[in-house]
Amino acid sequence: MKRDNINAIHAPQPRGGYSQAVSIENFRRLLFVSGQIPMTSDDVLPEGFEAQARQVWLNVDAQLKAAGMTKADIVKVTTYLADRRHVAANREIRTDYLGSLAPAMTVVITGIFDSAWLLEVEVVAAQ
């Protein structure tokens, strides 16, 4: 698969570990991962934003592994945050998980299905 991160010079540059666009060619398959919630497999909700965010990324990772993929295959991330106060912590934890990967990314501040959940993350991956 050929993957190119695109950041047009005549548009705002990304700030914080993402690309403005990601182009993929010659891929075999796409995986669309539904919004992953901050619950453990035994239905425990971690306390606090940081713990919930780390759990969400563990859940994303589990879905990728179940599909025979890894985080290196992620091309798009959409994060839904319940509160704008969590933006900095979200960026830090996301960066811990993604490392130097720079997928296309959107962060939305919104109400979330369960008011106890502080975020939800969906991804698109390609191989």
Side-chain angles (χ1 to χ4, degrees):
M1 177 180 83
K2 182 177 185 274
R3 174 185 180 139
D4 290 313
N5 293 348
I6 299 168
N7 296 295
I9 61 172
H10 298 295
Q13 294 304 298
R15 296 177 184 100
Y18 67 96
S19 297
Q20 294 291 19
V22 175
S23 171
I24 56 172
E25 297 176 31
N26 303 320
F27 57 91
R28 292 182 292 121
R29 66 183 180 137
L30 291 174
L31 176 69
F32 296 87
V33 179
S34 295
Q36 295 299 291
I37 62 173
M39 299 289 290
T40 66
S41 60
D42 54 350
D43 288 330
V44 173
L45 177 65
E47 287 189 38
F49 182 82
E50 290 80 5
Q52 286 193 21
R54 292 188 194 288
Q55 184 61 53
V56 161
W57 285 110
L58 288 172
N59 294 345
V60 166
D61 206 49
Q63 300 304 332
L64 291 169
K65 285 180 183 173
M69 294 180 153
T70 71
K71 65 183 176 182
D73 298 313
I74 295 173
V75 295
K76 173 72 168 98
V77 174
T78 304
T79 302
Y80 302 94
L81 293 178
D83 193 309
R84 145 177 351 271
R85 292 177 296 161
H86 302 303
V87 168
N90 175 64
R91 181 180 301 128
E92 179 181 326
I93 292 163
R94 182 187 65 228
T95 300
D96 284 349
Y97 175 75
L98 292 175
S100 63
L101 297 174
M105 190 168 309
T106 301
V107 177
V108 180
I109 311 300
T110 187
I112 298 183
F113 180 78
D114 185 318
S115 62
W117 303 340
L118 301 175
L119 77 162
E120 190 171 336
V121 173
E122 63 184 27
V123 302
V124 177
Q127 284 184 323

